[in-house]
Amino acid sequence: MRLARGFCLAAGLLCCAPACAQLPGFLRRPPPVKCDWSRGALDPTAALVGKQEFIFDTREPVQIWMVRAGNRIILSGTGMGADARARVDVTAKIAETSDTFSGVCKNRRIGESSQVGMLHAHAPLGSTDVLWRIEVRTGATGARKARRPLVLTVWDVSTVREARKSGIPLHGMLCLGDIPEMELERPATHQFGGRIRLEVNAAQSTFPLSSEQQAAVSNSVLNSVALWVRACIACRLEHLIVVLVDGQVYTRASANAWLAGVMANPASGSAAEQAKALEKALQPVQMLMAGDRKDTPTGKELEQYEPLSEAGRTFLCGLETSPASQRTVDAFRRAACGVAMSGGELSKIRVRFRDGPTACGDDTNVIACRPDLELTEYNARDYRYVVPGTSQADIGAGDLEVDLQHVIAHEMGHWIGLNHIDRGQSLMSSSMENSRCIDMQTVDSLYAQGAGTGVEKFPQAFTMKRRRGRR
Ligand SMILES: [Zn+2]
């Protein structure tokens, strides 16, 4: 977390980041701890560096893994038997220029039980090109008890700030990896899968939002919808094809491109051919997953939402479609024009920033709250919702910064019908510290909902453990 501004506020000085940078050292954030267990992976933009298996073998008690990454990494361990223990030493040096490694984490225990508290290692080397040496010792006790190897995963957190600046972080919120073939064949029985139009009302809060702030909220909402659409691995092609934010109509980029083509050349094919073309444009999720970005497990870049032009909307609304042969075009038309939709096709959500308590109570640990089926509340009294790359759009006066996109994506998950998932690294974890990405566990919960096993709870609070508790 970037706490600089928070520290300035705590010191009674109203200032923003650049001004804080001018302050004397004692008012600024203290130097980071070099090796710290305290928190899980907070930031979804951390880059996966690699995974390595360590077998339990007493004949080779020290196993070494060299990793090249930035100067701040997170190390987590999973896989070995519940009773097994391993210890790690982490040292680091500047790649290519220095000869000796210096210690960062000494003799730290790691394993299954450390999942919730990942090891944050920071090498204050003044370079982001760092060679890490991770030494793992699997003791005799561990070897006897462990049936499975220890799997260590390293994440690079030093690139986070750069990634934020260039607006990459969305992809980090999807960690679906390899999806088994059978998963793709599951019917979209859950309600979320059948929705084609979403109406978001974000304009009213307990304090006025600037145009920059409104744009940031609108963007975060659209990005979150794009994330959840991608996560819906067996949804209709035309799933959430239209989203309205405060009355502005947006549509998926592929649908927009198809529409532009048809408008430019209406006689380019029969109605059935045009419908086929739209289906092709709205690629099924398995094609998106398999996409051309081989370096990321989730395939192609997320499909963005674009404003639907008034001319486009008028054209669509004037189309005569046959639901039988042109289902997708018909759904697009009905969603864009807001006509002839069944109850399961339309959804509404409200986004409210509160300068006081939410329905989840007055606890300062509550970041956001979901009191009912459509309302989501954000605690702007105790938190400041930040947007990468700009401070113009920050919302709230709180002394702790949280990522606006992250919190809205989490709340959007509730709107879809998900409860908190306090296992694995789900974005839907009840605590910000453990909330990371949309994983398979999260997708499974989405489908369980359709099977009638997911009973929603209200209100639901998204929290962060802070020093101060209840007011
Ligand atoms: Zn929540």
Side-chain angles (χ1 to χ4, degrees), residues 134-166:
I134 298 159
E135 294 184 21
V136 178
R137 272 167 293 130
T138 53
T141 319
R144 265 203 311 277
K145 290 181 179 170
R147 293 204 174 86
R148 289 172 292 155
L150 165 70
V151 180
L152 287 188
T153 306
V154 166
W155 305 86
D156 190 340
V157 238
S158 54
T159 55
V160 166
R161 203 162 287 173
E162 288 309 308
R164 282 168 173 279
K165 272 189 211 149
S166 55

PDB file of all heavy atoms in Angstrom, residues 134-166:
ATOM      1  N   ILE A 134      16.952 -18.084  -3.484  1.00  0.00           N
ATOM      2  CA  ILE A 134      16.049 -18.619  -2.466  1.00  0.00           C
ATOM      3  C   ILE A 134      16.532 -20.010  -2.077  1.00  0.00           C
ATOM      4  O   ILE A 134      16.558 -20.920  -2.912  1.00  0.00           O
ATOM      5  CB  ILE A 134      14.600 -18.661  -2.998  1.00  0.00           C
ATOM      6  CG1 ILE A 134      14.140 -17.229  -3.307  1.00  0.00           C
ATOM      7  CG2 ILE A 134      13.661 -19.316  -1.994  1.00  0.00           C
ATOM      8  CD1 ILE A 134      12.995 -17.150  -4.275  1.00  0.00           C
ATOM      9  N   GLU A 135      16.988 -20.139  -0.851  1.00  0.00           N
ATOM     10  CA  GLU A 135      17.493 -21.431  -0.368  1.00  0.00           C
ATOM     11  C   GLU A 135      16.434 -22.089   0.498  1.00  0.00           C
ATOM     12  O   GLU A 135      15.945 -21.499   1.443  1.00  0.00           O
ATOM     13  CB  GLU A 135      18.769 -21.224   0.458  1.00  0.00           C
ATOM     14  CG  GLU A 135      19.917 -20.700  -0.357  1.00  0.00           C
ATOM     15  CD  GLU A 135      21.195 -20.596   0.465  1.00  0.00           C
ATOM     16  OE1 GLU A 135      21.290 -21.289   1.501  1.00  0.00           O
ATOM     17  OE2 GLU A 135      22.070 -19.813   0.074  1.00  0.00           O
ATOM     18  N   VAL A 136      16.113 -23.315   0.131  1.00  0.00           N
ATOM     19  CA  VAL A 136      15.062 -24.028   0.856  1.00  0.00           C
ATOM     20  C   VAL A 136      15.662 -25.218   1.567  1.00  0.00           C
ATOM     21  O   VAL A 136      16.375 -26.023   0.978  1.00  0.00           O
ATOM     22  CB  VAL A 136      13.958 -24.512  -0.125  1.00  0.00           C
ATOM     23  CG1 VAL A 136      12.884 -25.287   0.621  1.00  0.00           C
ATOM     24  CG2 VAL A 136      13.360 -23.323  -0.849  1.00  0.00           C
ATOM     25  N   ARG A 137      15.386 -25.308   2.850  1.00  0.00           N
ATOM     26  CA  ARG A 137      15.832 -26.462   3.634  1.00  0.00           C
ATOM     27  C   ARG A 137      14.622 -27.251   4.099  1.00  0.00           C
ATOM     28  O   ARG A 137      13.749 -26.722   4.775  1.00  0.00           O
ATOM     29  CB  ARG A 137      16.668 -26.020   4.838  1.00  0.00           C
ATOM     30  CG  ARG A 137      18.150 -25.880   4.498  1.00  0.00           C
ATOM     31  CD  ARG A 137      18.895 -25.164   5.585  1.00  0.00           C
ATOM     32  NE  ARG A 137      18.449 -23.777   5.661  1.00  0.00           N
ATOM     33  CZ  ARG A 137      18.073 -23.181   6.773  1.00  0.00           C
ATOM     34  NH1 ARG A 137      18.043 -23.853   7.911  1.00  0.00           N
ATOM     35  NH2 ARG A 137      17.694 -21.921   6.763  1.00  0.00           N
ATOM     36  N   THR A 138      14.571 -28.488   3.671  1.00  0.00           N
ATOM     37  CA  THR A 138      13.472 -29.353   4.098  1.00  0.00           C
ATOM     38  C   THR A 138      14.067 -30.322   5.091  1.00  0.00           C
ATOM     39  O   THR A 138      14.817 -31.209   4.727  1.00  0.00           O
ATOM     40  CB  THR A 138      12.877 -30.109   2.903  1.00  0.00           C
ATOM     41  OG1 THR A 138      13.937 -30.780   2.228  1.00  0.00           O
ATOM     42  CG2 THR A 138      12.206 -29.171   1.939  1.00  0.00           C
ATOM     43  N   GLY A 139      13.780 -30.100   6.346  1.00  0.00           N
ATOM     44  CA  GLY A 139      14.396 -30.897   7.411  1.00  0.00           C
ATOM     45  C   GLY A 139      13.932 -32.332   7.411  1.00  0.00           C
ATOM     46  O   GLY A 139      12.998 -32.704   6.707  1.00  0.00           O
ATOM     47  N   ALA A 140      14.608 -33.142   8.226  1.00  0.00           N
ATOM     48  CA  ALA A 140      14.292 -34.569   8.310  1.00  0.00           C
ATOM     49  C   ALA A 140      12.849 -34.784   8.767  1.00  0.00           C
ATOM     50  O   ALA A 140      12.155 -35.661   8.272  1.00  0.00           O
ATOM     51  CB  ALA A 140      15.254 -35.244   9.277  1.00  0.00           C
ATOM     52  N   THR A 141      12.397 -33.943   9.681  1.00  0.00           N
ATOM     53  CA  THR A 141      11.029 -34.081  10.174  1.00  0.00           C
ATOM     54  C   THR A 141      10.054 -33.877   9.025  1.00  0.00           C
ATOM     55  O   THR A 141       9.129 -34.649   8.829  1.00  0.00           O
ATOM     56  CB  THR A 141      10.747 -33.007  11.255  1.00  0.00           C
ATOM     57  OG1 THR A 141      11.890 -32.908  12.077  1.00  0.00           O
ATOM     58  CG2 THR A 141       9.529 -33.366  12.067  1.00  0.00           C
ATOM     59  N   GLY A 142      10.336 -32.811   8.273  1.00  0.00           N
ATOM     60  CA  GLY A 142       9.474 -32.507   7.138  1.00  0.00           C
ATOM     61  C   GLY A 142       9.477 -33.630   6.123  1.00  0.00           C
ATOM     62  O   GLY A 142       8.439 -34.019   5.617  1.00  0.00           O
ATOM     63  N   ALA A 143      10.642 -34.199   5.877  1.00  0.00           N
ATOM     64  CA  ALA A 143      10.767 -35.241   4.858  1.00  0.00           C
ATOM     65  C   ALA A 143       9.926 -36.460   5.201  1.00  0.00           C
ATOM     66  O   ALA A 143       9.329 -37.076   4.339  1.00  0.00           O
ATOM     67  CB  ALA A 143      12.229 -35.642   4.716  1.00  0.00           C
ATOM     68  N   ARG A 144       9.900 -36.778   6.474  1.00  0.00           N
ATOM     69  CA  ARG A 144       9.109 -37.941   6.883  1.00  0.00           C
ATOM     70  C   ARG A 144       7.622 -37.694   6.668  1.00  0.00           C
ATOM     71  O   ARG A 144       6.884 -38.550   6.265  1.00  0.00           O
ATOM     72  CB  ARG A 144       9.361 -38.255   8.354  1.00  0.00           C
ATOM     73  CG  ARG A 144      10.451 -39.318   8.551  1.00  0.00           C
ATOM     74  CD  ARG A 144      10.309 -40.025   9.897  1.00  0.00           C
ATOM     75  NE  ARG A 144      10.154 -39.097  11.016  1.00  0.00           N
ATOM     76  CZ  ARG A 144      11.172 -38.489  11.623  1.00  0.00           C
ATOM     77  NH1 ARG A 144      12.405 -38.694  11.202  1.00  0.00           N
ATOM     78  NH2 ARG A 144      10.960 -37.684  12.646  1.00  0.00           N
ATOM     79  N   LYS A 145       7.203 -36.488   6.967  1.00  0.00           N
ATOM     80  CA  LYS A 145       5.776 -36.204   6.961  1.00  0.00           C
ATOM     81  C   LYS A 145       5.231 -35.786   5.595  1.00  0.00           C
ATOM     82  O   LYS A 145       4.054 -35.946   5.326  1.00  0.00           O
ATOM     83  CB  LYS A 145       5.468 -35.107   7.974  1.00  0.00           C
ATOM     84  CG  LYS A 145       5.635 -35.583   9.414  1.00  0.00           C
ATOM     85  CD  LYS A 145       5.310 -34.475  10.374  1.00  0.00           C
ATOM     86  CE  LYS A 145       5.451 -34.944  11.821  1.00  0.00           C
ATOM     87  NZ  LYS A 145       5.380 -33.831  12.760  1.00  0.00           N
ATOM     88  N   ALA A 146       6.087 -35.214   4.779  1.00  0.00           N
ATOM     89  CA  ALA A 146       5.585 -34.625   3.537  1.00  0.00           C
ATOM     90  C   ALA A 146       5.433 -35.669   2.444  1.00  0.00           C
ATOM     91  O   ALA A 146       6.381 -36.356   2.096  1.00  0.00           O
ATOM     92  CB  ALA A 146       6.534 -33.539   3.068  1.00  0.00           C
ATOM     93  N   ARG A 147       4.244 -35.783   1.912  1.00  0.00           N
ATOM     94  CA  ARG A 147       4.039 -36.695   0.793  1.00  0.00           C
ATOM     95  C   ARG A 147       4.097 -35.936  -0.519  1.00  0.00           C
ATOM     96  O   ARG A 147       4.406 -36.478  -1.549  1.00  0.00           O
ATOM     97  CB  ARG A 147       2.690 -37.396   0.926  1.00  0.00           C
ATOM     98  CG  ARG A 147       2.643 -38.329   2.117  1.00  0.00           C
ATOM     99  CD  ARG A 147       1.600 -39.411   1.944  1.00  0.00           C
ATOM    100  NE  ARG A 147       1.679 -40.358   3.034  1.00  0.00           N
ATOM    101  CZ  ARG A 147       1.054 -40.184   4.197  1.00  0.00           C
ATOM    102  NH1 ARG A 147       0.309 -39.127   4.393  1.00  0.00           N
ATOM    103  NH2 ARG A 147       1.169 -41.069   5.161  1.00  0.00           N
ATOM    104  N   ARG A 148       3.764 -34.657  -0.467  1.00  0.00           N
ATOM    105  CA  ARG A 148       3.789 -33.850  -1.686  1.00  0.00           C
ATOM    106  C   ARG A 148       4.938 -32.850  -1.615  1.00  0.00           C
ATOM    107  O   ARG A 148       5.343 -32.444  -0.519  1.00  0.00           O
ATOM    108  CB  ARG A 148       2.468 -33.071  -1.806  1.00  0.00           C
ATOM    109  CG  ARG A 148       1.280 -33.945  -2.144  1.00  0.00           C
ATOM    110  CD  ARG A 148      -0.009 -33.160  -2.065  1.00  0.00           C
ATOM    111  NE  ARG A 148      -0.327 -32.784  -0.703  1.00  0.00           N
ATOM    112  CZ  ARG A 148      -1.076 -31.744  -0.379  1.00  0.00           C
ATOM    113  NH1 ARG A 148      -1.526 -30.938  -1.308  1.00  0.00           N
ATOM    114  NH2 ARG A 148      -1.345 -31.448   0.881  1.00  0.00           N
ATOM    115  N   PRO A 149       5.433 -32.428  -2.770  1.00  0.00           N
ATOM    116  CA  PRO A 149       6.507 -31.436  -2.737  1.00  0.00           C
ATOM    117  C   PRO A 149       5.977 -30.062  -2.321  1.00  0.00           C
ATOM    118  O   PRO A 149       4.791 -29.774  -2.463  1.00  0.00           O
ATOM    119  CB  PRO A 149       6.999 -31.407  -4.188  1.00  0.00           C
ATOM    120  CG  PRO A 149       5.857 -31.897  -5.000  1.00  0.00           C
ATOM    121  CD  PRO A 149       5.092 -32.845  -4.130  1.00  0.00           C
ATOM    122  N   LEU A 150       6.878 -29.261  -1.831  1.00  0.00           N
ATOM    123  CA  LEU A 150       6.544 -27.870  -1.530  1.00  0.00           C
ATOM    124  C   LEU A 150       6.604 -27.073  -2.838  1.00  0.00           C
ATOM    125  O   LEU A 150       7.554 -27.214  -3.609  1.00  0.00           O
ATOM    126  CB  LEU A 150       7.574 -27.298  -0.541  1.00  0.00           C
ATOM    127  CG  LEU A 150       7.623 -25.782  -0.371  1.00  0.00           C
ATOM    128  CD1 LEU A 150       6.384 -25.275   0.342  1.00  0.00           C
ATOM    129  CD2 LEU A 150       8.875 -25.384   0.410  1.00  0.00           C
ATOM    130  N   VAL A 151       5.582 -26.286  -3.098  1.00  0.00           N
ATOM    131  CA  VAL A 151       5.597 -25.448  -4.302  1.00  0.00           C
ATOM    132  C   VAL A 151       5.722 -23.988  -3.875  1.00  0.00           C
ATOM    133  O   VAL A 151       4.879 -23.465  -3.156  1.00  0.00           O
ATOM    134  CB  VAL A 151       4.310 -25.627  -5.137  1.00  0.00           C
ATOM    135  CG1 VAL A 151       4.349 -24.746  -6.377  1.00  0.00           C
ATOM    136  CG2 VAL A 151       4.114 -27.082  -5.529  1.00  0.00           C
ATOM    137  N   LEU A 152       6.805 -23.372  -4.288  1.00  0.00           N
ATOM    138  CA  LEU A 152       6.988 -21.953  -3.977  1.00  0.00           C
ATOM    139  C   LEU A 152       6.596 -21.113  -5.194  1.00  0.00           C
ATOM    140  O   LEU A 152       6.914 -21.458  -6.327  1.00  0.00           O
ATOM    141  CB  LEU A 152       8.440 -21.655  -3.610  1.00  0.00           C
ATOM    142  CG  LEU A 152       8.951 -22.137  -2.255  1.00  0.00           C
ATOM    143  CD1 LEU A 152      10.350 -21.577  -2.012  1.00  0.00           C
ATOM    144  CD2 LEU A 152       8.018 -21.733  -1.121  1.00  0.00           C
ATOM    145  N   THR A 153       5.914 -20.023  -4.919  1.00  0.00           N
ATOM    146  CA  THR A 153       5.553 -19.093  -5.992  1.00  0.00           C
ATOM    147  C   THR A 153       6.118 -17.720  -5.665  1.00  0.00           C
ATOM    148  O   THR A 153       6.039 -17.269  -4.519  1.00  0.00           O
ATOM    149  CB  THR A 153       4.018 -18.986  -6.112  1.00  0.00           C
ATOM    150  OG1 THR A 153       3.480 -20.289  -6.261  1.00  0.00           O
ATOM    151  CG2 THR A 153       3.622 -18.152  -7.322  1.00  0.00           C
ATOM    152  N   VAL A 154       6.709 -17.094  -6.660  1.00  0.00           N
ATOM    153  CA  VAL A 154       7.256 -15.743  -6.464  1.00  0.00           C
ATOM    154  C   VAL A 154       6.490 -14.747  -7.314  1.00  0.00           C
ATOM    155  O   VAL A 154       6.241 -14.972  -8.495  1.00  0.00           O
ATOM    156  CB  VAL A 154       8.765 -15.701  -6.810  1.00  0.00           C
ATOM    157  CG1 VAL A 154       9.252 -14.269  -6.939  1.00  0.00           C
ATOM    158  CG2 VAL A 154       9.574 -16.430  -5.752  1.00  0.00           C
ATOM    159  N   TRP A 155       6.067 -13.672  -6.669  1.00  0.00           N
ATOM    160  CA  TRP A 155       5.404 -12.573  -7.361  1.00  0.00           C
ATOM    161  C   TRP A 155       6.284 -11.340  -7.282  1.00  0.00           C
ATOM    162  O   TRP A 155       6.894 -11.071  -6.256  1.00  0.00           O
ATOM    163  CB  TRP A 155       4.066 -12.234  -6.689  1.00  0.00           C
ATOM    164  CG  TRP A 155       3.139 -13.388  -6.548  1.00  0.00           C
ATOM    165  CD1 TRP A 155       3.114 -14.302  -5.528  1.00  0.00           C
ATOM    166  CD2 TRP A 155       2.103 -13.773  -7.449  1.00  0.00           C
ATOM    167  NE1 TRP A 155       2.118 -15.218  -5.749  1.00  0.00           N
ATOM    168  CE2 TRP A 155       1.481 -14.919  -6.905  1.00  0.00           C
ATOM    169  CE3 TRP A 155       1.634 -13.238  -8.652  1.00  0.00           C
ATOM    170  CZ2 TRP A 155       0.408 -15.551  -7.532  1.00  0.00           C
ATOM    171  CZ3 TRP A 155       0.568 -13.870  -9.259  1.00  0.00           C
ATOM    172  CH2 TRP A 155      -0.026 -15.015  -8.719  1.00  0.00           C
ATOM    173  N   ASP A 156       6.325 -10.591  -8.352  1.00  0.00           N
ATOM    174  CA  ASP A 156       7.101  -9.346  -8.371  1.00  0.00           C
ATOM    175  C   ASP A 156       6.168  -8.176  -8.057  1.00  0.00           C
ATOM    176  O   ASP A 156       5.201  -7.943  -8.768  1.00  0.00           O
ATOM    177  CB  ASP A 156       7.709  -9.167  -9.771  1.00  0.00           C
ATOM    178  CG  ASP A 156       8.714  -8.023  -9.800  1.00  0.00           C
ATOM    179  OD1 ASP A 156       8.653  -7.163  -8.906  1.00  0.00           O
ATOM    180  OD2 ASP A 156       9.542  -8.007 -10.722  1.00  0.00           O
ATOM    181  N   VAL A 157       6.455  -7.494  -6.953  1.00  0.00           N
ATOM    182  CA  VAL A 157       5.591  -6.361  -6.606  1.00  0.00           C
ATOM    183  C   VAL A 157       6.248  -5.033  -6.941  1.00  0.00           C
ATOM    184  O   VAL A 157       5.625  -3.982  -6.867  1.00  0.00           O
ATOM    185  CB  VAL A 157       5.212  -6.326  -5.108  1.00  0.00           C
ATOM    186  CG1 VAL A 157       3.712  -6.367  -4.954  1.00  0.00           C
ATOM    187  CG2 VAL A 157       5.835  -7.446  -4.330  1.00  0.00           C
ATOM    188  N   SER A 158       7.520  -5.063  -7.317  1.00  0.00           N
ATOM    189  CA  SER A 158       8.204  -3.800  -7.578  1.00  0.00           C
ATOM    190  C   SER A 158       7.730  -3.171  -8.873  1.00  0.00           C
ATOM    191  O   SER A 158       7.894  -1.981  -9.089  1.00  0.00           O
ATOM    192  CB  SER A 158       9.708  -4.029  -7.624  1.00  0.00           C
ATOM    193  OG  SER A 158       9.998  -5.040  -8.553  1.00  0.00           O
ATOM    194  N   THR A 159       7.133  -3.975  -9.743  1.00  0.00           N
ATOM    195  CA  THR A 159       6.672  -3.432 -11.020  1.00  0.00           C
ATOM    196  C   THR A 159       5.266  -2.855 -10.913  1.00  0.00           C
ATOM    197  O   THR A 159       4.752  -2.287 -11.844  1.00  0.00           O
ATOM    198  CB  THR A 159       6.642  -4.532 -12.091  1.00  0.00           C
ATOM    199  OG1 THR A 159       5.842  -5.595 -11.585  1.00  0.00           O
ATOM    200  CG2 THR A 159       8.010  -5.051 -12.405  1.00  0.00           C
ATOM    201  N   VAL A 160       4.678  -3.018  -9.741  1.00  0.00           N
ATOM    202  CA  VAL A 160       3.289  -2.609  -9.571  1.00  0.00           C
ATOM    203  C   VAL A 160       3.061  -1.158  -9.950  1.00  0.00           C
ATOM    204  O   VAL A 160       2.153  -0.823 -10.694  1.00  0.00           O
ATOM    205  CB  VAL A 160       2.843  -2.849  -8.117  1.00  0.00           C
ATOM    206  CG1 VAL A 160       1.541  -2.138  -7.835  1.00  0.00           C
ATOM    207  CG2 VAL A 160       2.695  -4.332  -7.863  1.00  0.00           C
ATOM    208  N   ARG A 161       3.936  -0.305  -9.438  1.00  0.00           N
ATOM    209  CA  ARG A 161       3.713   1.118  -9.683  1.00  0.00           C
ATOM    210  C   ARG A 161       3.760   1.441 -11.180  1.00  0.00           C
ATOM    211  O   ARG A 161       2.949   2.183 -11.687  1.00  0.00           O
ATOM    212  CB  ARG A 161       4.755   1.939  -8.919  1.00  0.00           C
ATOM    213  CG  ARG A 161       4.290   3.336  -8.669  1.00  0.00           C
ATOM    214  CD  ARG A 161       5.091   3.987  -7.591  1.00  0.00           C
ATOM    215  NE  ARG A 161       4.748   3.455  -6.284  1.00  0.00           N
ATOM    216  CZ  ARG A 161       5.411   3.770  -5.185  1.00  0.00           C
ATOM    217  NH1 ARG A 161       6.431   4.580  -5.242  1.00  0.00           N
ATOM    218  NH2 ARG A 161       5.052   3.263  -4.040  1.00  0.00           N
ATOM    219  N   GLU A 162       4.700   0.832 -11.875  1.00  0.00           N
ATOM    220  CA  GLU A 162       4.814   1.056 -13.320  1.00  0.00           C
ATOM    221  C   GLU A 162       3.558   0.521 -14.029  1.00  0.00           C
ATOM    222  O   GLU A 162       3.003   1.155 -14.910  1.00  0.00           O
ATOM    223  CB  GLU A 162       6.052   0.362 -13.876  1.00  0.00           C
ATOM    224  CG  GLU A 162       7.353   1.021 -13.489  1.00  0.00           C
ATOM    225  CD  GLU A 162       7.338   2.515 -13.784  1.00  0.00           C
ATOM    226  OE1 GLU A 162       7.022   2.884 -14.930  1.00  0.00           O
ATOM    227  OE2 GLU A 162       7.605   3.305 -12.858  1.00  0.00           O
ATOM    228  N   ALA A 163       3.127  -0.661 -13.612  1.00  0.00           N
ATOM    229  CA  ALA A 163       1.954  -1.272 -14.232  1.00  0.00           C
ATOM    230  C   ALA A 163       0.726  -0.397 -14.025  1.00  0.00           C
ATOM    231  O   ALA A 163      -0.093  -0.222 -14.917  1.00  0.00           O
ATOM    232  CB  ALA A 163       1.719  -2.659 -13.645  1.00  0.00           C
ATOM    233  N   ARG A 164       0.622   0.180 -12.827  1.00  0.00           N
ATOM    234  CA  ARG A 164      -0.516   1.040 -12.529  1.00  0.00           C
ATOM    235  C   ARG A 164      -0.513   2.245 -13.461  1.00  0.00           C
ATOM    236  O   ARG A 164      -1.537   2.622 -13.995  1.00  0.00           O
ATOM    237  CB  ARG A 164      -0.423   1.565 -11.102  1.00  0.00           C
ATOM    238  CG  ARG A 164      -0.823   0.581 -10.060  1.00  0.00           C
ATOM    239  CD  ARG A 164      -0.398   1.153  -8.719  1.00  0.00           C
ATOM    240  NE  ARG A 164      -0.878   0.347  -7.624  1.00  0.00           N
ATOM    241  CZ  ARG A 164      -2.108   0.425  -7.157  1.00  0.00           C
ATOM    242  NH1 ARG A 164      -2.953   1.266  -7.677  1.00  0.00           N
ATOM    243  NH2 ARG A 164      -2.487  -0.338  -6.170  1.00  0.00           N
ATOM    244  N   LYS A 165       0.678   2.830 -13.632  1.00  0.00           N
ATOM    245  CA  LYS A 165       0.779   4.024 -14.469  1.00  0.00           C
ATOM    246  C   LYS A 165       0.310   3.745 -15.885  1.00  0.00           C
ATOM    247  O   LYS A 165      -0.341   4.548 -16.512  1.00  0.00           O
ATOM    248  CB  LYS A 165       2.241   4.510 -14.510  1.00  0.00           C
ATOM    249  CG  LYS A 165       2.575   5.464 -13.385  1.00  0.00           C
ATOM    250  CD  LYS A 165       3.935   6.057 -13.641  1.00  0.00           C
ATOM    251  CE  LYS A 165       4.627   6.375 -12.332  1.00  0.00           C
ATOM    252  NZ  LYS A 165       6.076   6.242 -12.420  1.00  0.00           N
ATOM    253  N   SER A 166       0.669   2.579 -16.404  1.00  0.00           N
ATOM    254  CA  SER A 166       0.324   2.304 -17.793  1.00  0.00           C
ATOM    255  C   SER A 166      -1.032   1.598 -17.912  1.00  0.00           C
ATOM    256  O   SER A 166      -1.415   1.162 -18.980  1.00  0.00           O
ATOM    257  CB  SER A 166       1.432   1.484 -18.442  1.00  0.00           C
ATOM    258  OG  SER A 166       1.664   0.327 -17.682  1.00  0.00           O
TER     259      SER A 166
END
